[in-house]
């Protein structure tokens, strides 16, 4: 990682507390929102936030996990840094599920926290919220974790934390200061935000990639979250080559699902066994590595990733360490050069026909996932293109990977490979905080929703009009279906639920009942309008009995077609 100060002019130090220096750094980096839950060790941080007034909005929560998820949702939707602030020890561990989700979806999140008093560090005396080496625990699953032991250290450490969170492959950084250090005043240098320069483009490798793509008979482009800013360029590249652009979760909407070149993971597998050259842009290649069988024997893989460690993991034929947008733009320039371009028009049209036929083949099987598909169609009919859908770890959420059309990047919010049950609703609150005028729908199952249902209070308090579409099968449905299939009986997966509509109304939110896709379509339209007008959340309850025979897994983890 190459860190470059944005300013080389030295300014006179200021007298600030450690907490004030941290907040000054947030302002210098353009942070406008912090999601936090105050506690005794972080009082100075919240006082410093109060001092800056409305320059930084503070959104509270009823649980530290929600603070982390809201920061995650904010960052997923905007591409900017999401910030949360929680107490050390139990608070950090409560937030850690969200931080882990952010790390593995390459989402820029900063967690500010505290520590036990500096004189007690490492002594194991049982001070409030003490844990053995908190920073080491955080370093084990984040990009960076630091501990400021004096006011003068805070500005540079905050700059470094944000550089690690936002630069290169985005991820999670944490910065702590001990309980007794946060309120201490002293001379501090001003913040000095640093930019992280992307790796320089290797023209030789890109020229070789262009040759491989130009010579491909059946190319495929696989896009992940690292390619979210490449949309028009990737679309032009795919059009030139006559190649499908396949996404799984994080890459949804980079090329619209309504585009003949845009493919979901289910549609993409139809073309996989015959693919001869695959270009992976900003993707962990989960589909190609362990979800899709029948890996072509003669497959050539070109991987473009800003993280060089990714190439060690996937061992591509040609590894290019680069920013996905810069690399895709250069590849397009090279392929447009005379004598190097893609297929002739007849060949390109034949490839377009092959892609259309693949979509036609897979469509009936996906449409048969009922009533899930019809419910998702109803949501898509009502939710405008600028609206956000936050998926959830539930059967309808899994089907949404296949059957919920996404037309723009960042409009489909996902937990990625972590599959963190219950992440959806608190994450949706962070999305809504980032885009208060955009409609936000949170998919939920009855099991996962109750992980964070208390955040209805947060949504009401801060006017976050998220609409939850809650599918109720009185079970951890996916678990129950698996148990019935594998063992012939469920165990520990049945649930007893509250009256969700009454519960929502008791919080001051709106509550609706809906039966069937058509009624959902009408009710959701009303709920979204009222949520926006009233600036308050709503829960739209749908009873949908579990049918274990209806499962998306044959499309998400398809079986081999050989033999």
């Amino acid at each position: 990682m190459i860190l470059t100060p944005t300013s080389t002019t030295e300014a006179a130090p200021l007298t600030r507390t450690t907490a004030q220096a941290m907040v000054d750094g947030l302002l210098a980096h353009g942070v406008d929102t912090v999601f936090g839950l105050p506690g005794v060790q972080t009082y100075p941080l919240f006082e410093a936030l109060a001092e800056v007034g409305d320059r930084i909005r503070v959104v509270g929560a009823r649980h530290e996990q929600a603070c982390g998820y809201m920061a995650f949702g904010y960052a997923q939707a905007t591409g900017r840094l999401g910030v949360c602030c929680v107490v050390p020890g139990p608070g950090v561990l409560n937030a850690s599920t969200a931080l882990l989700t952010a790390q593995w979806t390459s989402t820029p999140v900063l967690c500010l926290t505290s520590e036990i008093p500096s004189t007690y560090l490492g002594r194991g005396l049982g001070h409030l919220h003490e844990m053995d080496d908190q920073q080491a625990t955080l370093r084990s699953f984040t990009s960076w974790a630091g501990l400021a032991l004096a006011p003068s250290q805070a500005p540079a450490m905050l700059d470094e934390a944000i550089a690690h969170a936002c630069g290169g492959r985005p991820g999670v950084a944490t910065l702590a200061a001990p309980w007794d250090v946060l309120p201490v005043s002293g001379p501090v240098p001003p913040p000095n935000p640093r930019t992280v320069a992307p790796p320089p483009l290797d023209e030789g490798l890109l020229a070789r990639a262009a040759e491989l793509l130009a010579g491909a008979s059946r190319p495929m482009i696989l896009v992940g979250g690292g390619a979210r800013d490449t949309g028009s360029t990737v679309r032009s590249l795919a059009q030139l080559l006559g190649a499908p652009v396949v996404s799984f979760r994080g890459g949804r909407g980079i090329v619209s699902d309504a585009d003949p070149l845009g493919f979901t993971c289910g549609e993409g597998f139809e073309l996989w066994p015959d693919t001869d050259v695959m270009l992976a842009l900003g993707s962990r290649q989960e589909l190609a590595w362990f979800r899709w069988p029948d890996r072509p024997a003669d497959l050539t893989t070109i991987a473009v990733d800003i993280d060089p460690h990714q190439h060690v993991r996937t061992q591509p034929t040609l590894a290019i360490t680069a920013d996905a947008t810069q690399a895709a733009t250069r590849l397009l320039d090279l392929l447009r050069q005379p004598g190097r371009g893609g297929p002739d028009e007849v060949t390109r049209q034949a490839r377009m026909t092959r892609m259309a036929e693949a979509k036609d083949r897979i469509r009936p099987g996906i449409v048969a996932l009922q009533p899930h598909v019809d419910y998702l169609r109803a949501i898509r009919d009502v939710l405008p293109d600028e609206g956000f859908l936050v998926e959830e770890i539930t059967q309808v959420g899994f089907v949404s990977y296949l059957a919920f059309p996404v037309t723009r990047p960042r409009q489909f919010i996902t937990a990625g490979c972590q599959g963190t049950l219950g992440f959806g609703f608190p994450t949706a609150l962070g999305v809504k905080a980032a885009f208060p005028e955009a409609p936000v729908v949170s998919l939920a199952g009855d099991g996962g929703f109750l992980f964070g249902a208390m955040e209805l209070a947060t949504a009401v308090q801060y006017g976050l009009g998220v609409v939850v579409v809650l599918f109720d099968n009185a079970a951890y449905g996916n678990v129950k279906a698996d148990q019935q299939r594998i063992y012939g009986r469920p165990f520990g997966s049945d649930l007893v639920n509250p009256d969700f509509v009454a519960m929502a109304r008791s919080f001051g939110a709106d509550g609706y009942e809906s039966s069937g896709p058509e009624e959902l379509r009408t009710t959701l339209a009303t709920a979204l309008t009222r949520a926006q007008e009233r600036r308050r959340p709503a829960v739209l309850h749908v009873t949908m009995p579990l049918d274990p025979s209806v499962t998306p897994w044959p499309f998400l983890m398809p079986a081999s077609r050989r033999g």
Side-chain angles (χ1 to χ4, degrees), residues 222-555:
L222 191 66
V223 290
R228 284 192 181 114
D229 298 324
T230 65
S232 59
T233 302
V234 170
R235 207 269 173 200
S236 297
L237 193 60
Q239 179 73 20
L240 179 64
L241 295 170
V245 179
V246 183
S247 61
F248 183 24
R249 287 174 298 219
R252 298 292 307 279
I254 291 173
V255 172
S256 169
D257 291 329
D259 193 304
L261 296 165
F263 278 65
T264 66
C265 59
E267 294 165 339
F269 182 61
E270 289 294 301
L271 300 170
W272 173 241
D274 297 325
T275 299
D276 63 342
V277 177
M278 180 186 74
L279 171 63
L281 288 171
S283 169
R284 206 176 268 113
Q285 304 171 48
E286 183 179 336
L287 292 174
W289 272 99
F290 68 86
R291 286 188 177 270
W292 285 351
D294 304 339
R295 187 178 180 87
D298 61 346
L299 181 68
T300 296
T301 56
I302 305 166
V304 176
D305 202 291
I306 203 164
D307 181 3
H309 296 96
Q310 188 63 21
H311 302 315
V312 177
R313 301 179 188 116
T314 59
Q315 294 292 307
T317 310
L318 187 64
I320 301 174
T321 301
D323 173 80
T325 302
Q326 291 183 357
T329 300
R330 185 59 182 145
L331 277 174
L332 183 60
D333 290 341
L334 289 169
L335 285 165
R336 283 174 169 168
Q337 290 179 359
R340 180 180 259 163
D344 58 37
E345 187 59 23
V346 172
T347 303
R348 198 186 65 81
Q349 286 300 326
R351 293 180 183 178
M352 297 296 292
T353 299
R354 172 175 170 264
M355 287 188 281
E357 290 172 348
K359 286 192 175 189
D360 289 342
R361 283 195 305 272
I362 198 72
R363 188 174 294 114
I366 293 175
V367 171
L369 298 173
Q370 294 293 348
H372 309 64
V373 169
D374 282 351
Y375 278 119
L376 289 166
R377 282 178 174 169
I379 296 171
R380 179 72 280 178
D381 288 347
V382 174
L383 186 66
D385 283 350
E386 69 272 15
F388 293 84
L389 183 80
V390 183
E391 60 106 346
E392 179 55 275
I393 311 308
T394 180
Q395 285 288 308
V396 178
F398 294 141
V399 176
S400 71
Y401 302 163
L402 308 162
F404 185 82
V406 182
T407 59
R408 303 180 186 182
R410 299 193 184 279
Q411 307 301 122
F412 182 81
I413 308 297
T414 169
C417 66
Q418 286 304 315
T420 32
L421 179 61
F423 90 98
F425 177 52
T427 295
L429 299 183
V431 175
K432 189 67 174 176
F435 292 99
E437 302 307 318
V440 178
V441 170
S442 172
L443 289 182
D446 50 316
F449 180 64
L450 286 177
F451 277 42
M454 65 282 191
E455 302 305 334
L456 282 167
T458 301
V460 170
Q461 180 176 354
Y462 293 94
L464 303 174
V466 170
V467 176
V468 181
V469 181
L470 194 160
F471 295 94
D472 183 357
N473 55 24
Y476 292 117
N478 192 59
V479 174
K480 183 175 181 178
D482 280 349
Q483 290 175 325
Q484 289 178 333
R485 177 177 56 83
I486 299 169
Y487 304 108
R489 64 179 181 184
F491 189 77
S493 53
D494 287 310
L495 300 174
V496 175
N497 287 323
D499 181 331
F500 285 106
V501 171
M503 184 183 77
R505 292 173 179 169
S506 75
F507 276 96
D510 291 327
Y512 305 87
E513 287 283 359
S514 185
S515 177
E518 287 306 315
E519 187 176 351
L520 173 64
R521 182 179 283 104
T522 303
T523 308
L524 179 59
T526 299
L528 285 170
T529 299
R530 290 179 178 173
Q532 201 64 19
E533 291 173 349
R534 300 173 179 179
R535 302 288 175 175
R536 70 188 187 202
V539 175
L540 203 166
H541 178 253
V542 181
T543 300
M544 190 172 76
L546 179 65
D547 181 354
S549 69
V550 179
T551 174
W553 293 110
F555 301 98

